[in-house]
Amino acid sequence: MFRIIKKVFGKKLLGKFDVDEQVLQDFCKANQKIWNLETGKTTDSKTEKKAVLTAGAGEGYKKQTLFIGLFMVEKWMPWLEQKLLYAKGIQDKTGIRPIVTDWEYNENLEKLYASYGFGFLSLKKEMFENILGCFYGLFQAAFFFLFEGTGKQMIKKKYKGGNIGQFMYDTVIRTNQDIYTIRSARNKICFKKVFTTYWFMNSLDKVYKNYRPVCYIFDDLIYDEGMIVEYMRKRVNRVINCTMDGRMLSLDNMKGTVHWPDLDKAIMLQRLKQMSVKERAEYTKQAGAALEARFQGKNGDVRDSKAAFTGKKEGNREKLISVMGLDPQKKNVVFCAHTLSESAHRCSRQAYQDTYTWMEETMKYVRNKENANWIIKVHPVAALKYGEGCVLENLYEKYKSKNLYLFPDEYNSALVGEIADVVVTIYGNAGSEYACLGIPVILTGNAIYSGLGYTTDAFTKEEYERTLDRVEELQTLTEEQKDRAKLVFNYLSRRINQQLDRFSEKMIEINWKFDEKMMEGSSVKELNTQTMDFIKEFEKNEDMRNTNYYLNGADFEVMEKSAFIDN
């Protein structure tokens, strides 16, 4: 069945892995020797399934399977390598059989994974061979179209008790140009998304029952990957990850649908709790230098830093009041907008269903309010990275009034700290940064730093509007609140307090270059080649089993599911 569909759709089914064929071939041969593999022979999904179901040799783990989710659209070798080494450490310790799961099929990727001794499953291939699942998806989509048909109803959709609707919603917005919110979902795009999602989830259910993986290494907690995590959490023993910077992430003890802010907050609170009084004091003291470096574009996301702080006009409060024509007698409230396309429904709790709706409803609500100067700050990379053009600018023109203003893009974003008396965001880093300066921060979503005593949290529309009604009453943060904000900001800037090995540092360095290539719209083939060349040279002189990624995997433990998974 897959072969027939492949002939019809051709390259649309093939995953993208831009790499020189000869470089890949040489890399795979060298890699097989490192891991003591006699051959790089690949196996298809049917062979893998038979091997798993009939395994009889060995005890315990050797009969079990580990799934590795690698679903990024364009494969970057640094991102792949850290997951593969992590899984290799697990395999060498336990004997568990790793199988990489991906959407599309790609022969080069299959060869790459085989050079580590891993199997490969194309979930899209499994899906297209599941004809009954296709009819199931059509039924679900028809029901949704006829009897539900709104964006809010899409967010509520579930599959076998797991929340999948919010991930469908976010994926539609992220993958369709010029769609930033979903009011009516009775259209071709939403019908197709509901149809293919339920078809895929039914197929994933069949794959799970065939392989019965005991663990799942996740790649992300958003978009379609988030659906898979939701499904796996209720069935496998552990859902885990190893990040580029060497952090080990686990969803152990996490309740409900897991979002990145929730997971990051749980990890942060545990880390802060473990800190000594002296270490906390040092983190707080060092926050000033970290914040200054941030406003100079020297740390944080490279793309954001360049767009926000590099080559921009400088100024001060008086200058900006004059440029924007603000009323100097009123407080200035700056709404730091997120990008409209990226994770629009990211928080476990938020006042509005997406970023666009938050911005539009905010402008409509405050445009006639006289108690403040209301300033809209467009995200620095909205146009550069996501092609959002002048979406918010056009929205501003629609609702513009004598009380509503637009922060001039030609000025340095750090000047928000000069002009703002209050900062408003859903969950963004801006709130964490400006709270260090004593500026009150209003959050409309459950952020990593919300609920810690120095933000005003308004997670419902009613709470949010009441807060805006009395925004002039918000006071500058106390020294204690500022210190707490600095502690958290410096933690978020550093994330980990350990010395990375040379291999990890190089992977992170190259990965940033991939980000830059993506922004330029350039090919990443050269960087994939560069990464493979570095790994081959590294393997000649050092043992890959001493890298952070591999050692993290070697520390892995399979726990009893009942010990921590909430079914």
Side-chain angles (χ1 to χ4, degrees):
M1 181 65 182
F2 178 74
R3 291 189 182 93
I4 297 173
I5 296 173
K6 185 178 176 182
K7 285 182 180 179
V8 176
F9 292 98
K11 292 183 179 180
K12 290 185 178 181
L13 296 183
L14 299 180
K16 189 173 182 181
F17 185 41
D18 200 359
V19 64
D20 182 272
E21 294 279 348
Q22 187 60 51
V23 170
L24 175 65
Q25 183 177 335
D26 294 342
F27 177 87
C28 289
K29 287 181 179 179
N31 211 37
Q32 291 162 24
K33 292 179 180 178
I34 292 295
W35 304 114
N36 300 317
L37 301 175
E38 294 181 359
T39 176
K41 184 179 179 181
T42 59
T43 55
D44 61 22
S45 59
K46 291 182 180 179
T47 307
E48 284 287 354
K49 174 182 172 183
K50 183 178 179 181
V52 171
L53 295 180
T54 61
E59 299 295 333
Y61 298 137
K62 294 185 178 180
K63 296 181 181 180
Q64 299 176 329
T65 303
L66 163 73
F67 273 5
I68 312 166
L70 295 176
F71 295 101
M72 68 283 286
V73 175
E74 185 171 30
K75 300 298 186 289
W76 299 356
M77 191 60 198
W79 197 266
L80 296 175
E81 179 70 1
Q82 41 111 358
K83 297 287 193 301
L84 298 174
L85 286 179
Y86 181 50
K88 195 64 186 177
I90 295 174
Q91 181 187 37
D92 285 354
K93 177 183 179 180
T94 65
I96 289 176
R97 170 65 164 160
I99 298 177
V100 175
T101 55
D102 195 356
W103 297 123
E104 289 90 358
Y105 174 75
N106 185 293
E107 290 183 3
N108 284 338
L109 285 172
E110 190 171 24
K111 293 173 185 176
L112 174 67
Y113 302 144
S115 74
Y116 292 84
F118 299 169
F120 179 50
L121 265 177
S122 164
L123 295 184
K124 185 173 283 187
K125 181 178 179 181
E126 297 291 323
M127 173 177 157
F128 283 145
E129 291 178 346
N130 178 18
I131 304 303
L132 290 179
C134 176
F135 288 109
Y136 171 74
L138 281 172
F139 172 80
Q140 292 291 338
F143 181 89
F144 174 78
F145 190 89
L146 293 172
F147 301 108
E148 295 171 337
T150 66
K152 289 183 178 180
Q153 288 297 321
M154 176 182 282
I155 290 171
K156 297 177 181 178
K157 298 300 287 182
K158 294 187 175 184
Y159 178 79
K160 293 196 171 182
N163 294 314
I164 62 171
Q166 59 191 296
F167 303 111
M168 278 196 284
Y169 188 94
D170 271 3
T171 304
V172 169
I173 291 176
R174 182 67 185 91
T175 57
N176 290 276
Q177 190 73 26
D178 299 328
I179 294 181
Y180 303 111
T181 187
I182 304 173
R183 307 288 165 80
S184 172
R186 289 191 170 98
N187 54 62
K188 180 180 178 181
I189 290 173
C190 291
F191 181 91
K192 179 181 177 182
K193 186 58 189 174
V194 176
F195 160 50
T196 56
T197 294
Y198 277 95
W199 183 7
F200 170 76
M201 293 304 296
N202 180 266
S203 304
L204 178 65
D205 195 44
K206 292 184 66 175
V207 169
Y208 168 78
K209 290 174 180 176
N210 285 338
Y211 291 86
R212 299 288 177 179
V214 294
C215 294
Y216 181 71
I217 298 178
F218 70 91
D219 181 45
D220 213 335
L221 296 175
I222 55 177
Y223 308 128
D224 290 338
E225 293 94 318
M227 303 179 201
I228 301 174
V229 171
E230 277 293 287
Y231 176 89
M232 291 295 179
R233 284 185 68 214
K234 294 179 178 297
R235 291 162 178 83
V236 304
N237 291 46
R238 301 196 72 183
V239 178
I240 52 179
N241 190 9
C242 179
T243 65
M244 286 292 296
D245 56 15
R247 289 178 296 144
M248 291 182 64
L249 304 181
S250 170
L251 302 192
D252 300 356
N253 298 316
M254 298 295 294
K255 304 295 183 182
T257 302
V258 178
H259 301 74
W260 276 118
D262 301 322
L263 178 58
D264 286 339
K265 180 186 284 188
I267 295 169
M268 179 184 72
L269 293 178
Q270 183 181 32
R271 176 71 183 96
L272 295 180
K273 187 177 180 180
Q274 294 169 347
M275 282 186 183
S276 65
V277 174
K278 181 180 179 181
E279 191 177 5
R280 291 167 69 95
E282 288 177 351
Y283 259 65
T284 302
K285 184 178 180 180
Q286 294 164 0
L291 189 63
E292 183 178 352
R294 169 64 178 154
F295 290 155
Q296 293 175 356
K298 295 179 180 178
N299 63 24
D301 189 300
V302 172
R303 298 160 298 184
D304 288 3
S305 297
K306 283 186 176 181
F309 309 117
T310 304
K312 298 286 188 175
K313 287 185 179 180
E314 300 297 336
N316 54 34
R317 184 180 179 92
E318 290 70 27
K319 175 70 173 177
L320 287 173
I321 286 175
S322 174
V323 169
M324 286 189 279
L326 305 177
D327 184 340
Q329 303 304 314
K330 296 179 181 179
K331 281 193 172 183
N332 300 318
V333 180
V334 179
F335 299 93
C336 292
H338 304 260
T339 56
L340 305 178
S341 307
E342 180 77 9
S343 306
H345 195 84
R346 185 177 188 179
C347 302
S348 54
R349 296 169 62 199
Q350 60 188 68
Y352 297 95
Q353 67 191 61
D354 51 58
T355 306
Y356 184 92
T357 300
W358 167 56
M359 278 280 88
E360 182 173 35
E361 292 301 312
T362 294
M363 291 186 203
K364 287 164 61 177
Y365 190 74
V366 304
R367 65 191 303 267
N368 295 319
K369 287 193 169 295
E370 303 278 353
N371 57 327
N373 297 314
W374 310 100
I375 304 169
I376 306 300
K377 173 73 169 67
V378 178
H379 196 284
V381 299
L384 179 65
K385 181 182 176 184
Y386 296 98
E388 293 174 2
C390 298
V391 179
L392 282 187
E393 290 87 343
N394 292 338
L395 203 58
Y396 165 76
E397 289 297 327
K398 179 179 179 180
Y399 295 108
K400 184 169 63 173
S401 71
K402 65 178 183 177
N403 305 307
L404 192 61
Y405 305 87
L406 190 67
F407 188 93
D409 180 63
E410 64 269 22
Y411 280 86
N412 193 320
S413 293
L415 294 174
V416 169
E418 292 272 351
I419 194 73
D421 297 300
V422 178
V423 166
V424 188
T425 181
I426 300 179
Y427 59 84
N429 292 332
S432 173
E433 295 162 1
Y434 296 115
C436 295
L437 304 177
I439 300 173
V441 174
I442 301 171
L443 296 174
T444 68
N446 188 24
I448 183 174
Y449 56 93
S450 60
L452 300 181
Y454 62 88
T455 59
T456 299
D457 301 338
F459 298 158
T460 67
K461 180 181 178 181
E462 293 72 25
E463 289 175 330
Y464 177 54
E465 291 179 349
R466 284 196 299 268
T467 303
L468 296 181
D469 288 343
R470 57 178 181 80
V471 71
E472 70 277 9
E473 300 174 10
L474 294 180
Q475 300 297 311
T476 301
L477 301 186
T478 65
E479 289 301 317
E480 180 184 357
Q481 288 175 315
K482 285 167 63 176
D483 284 347
R484 197 175 302 169
K486 290 175 181 178
L487 173 65
V488 171
F489 168 75
N490 201 26
Y491 166 84
L492 295 177
S493 298
R494 295 168 63 175
R495 289 294 174 115
I496 55 171
N497 190 24
Q498 66 182 39
Q499 186 67 38
L500 293 177
D501 66 321
R502 186 171 72 90
F503 187 83
S504 302
E505 289 179 344
K506 187 65 176 180
M507 290 298 101
I508 293 172
E509 176 191 328
I510 299 176
N511 195 65
W512 280 121
K513 294 179 181 178
F514 275 87
D515 267 346
E516 293 174 0
K517 285 288 185 182
M518 184 185 72
M519 287 180 67
E520 297 168 358
S522 304
S523 169
V524 298
K525 184 175 183 177
E526 180 183 343
L527 287 174
N528 274 329
T529 299
Q530 179 185 337
T531 308
M532 288 186 171
D533 286 341
F534 170 78
I535 295 171
K536 283 194 299 181
E537 287 302 312
F538 186 90
E539 289 173 340
K540 290 178 182 178
N541 303 306
E542 300 187 50
D543 191 344
M544 297 298 290
R545 295 169 181 81
N546 291 329
T547 60
N548 285 349
Y549 304 135
Y550 179 91
L551 291 173
N552 282 341
D555 285 339
F556 172 82
E557 295 288 344
V558 176
M559 299 165 62
E560 289 297 325
K561 178 175 148 184
S562 59
F564 50 79
I565 294 294
D566 180 19
N567 288 308

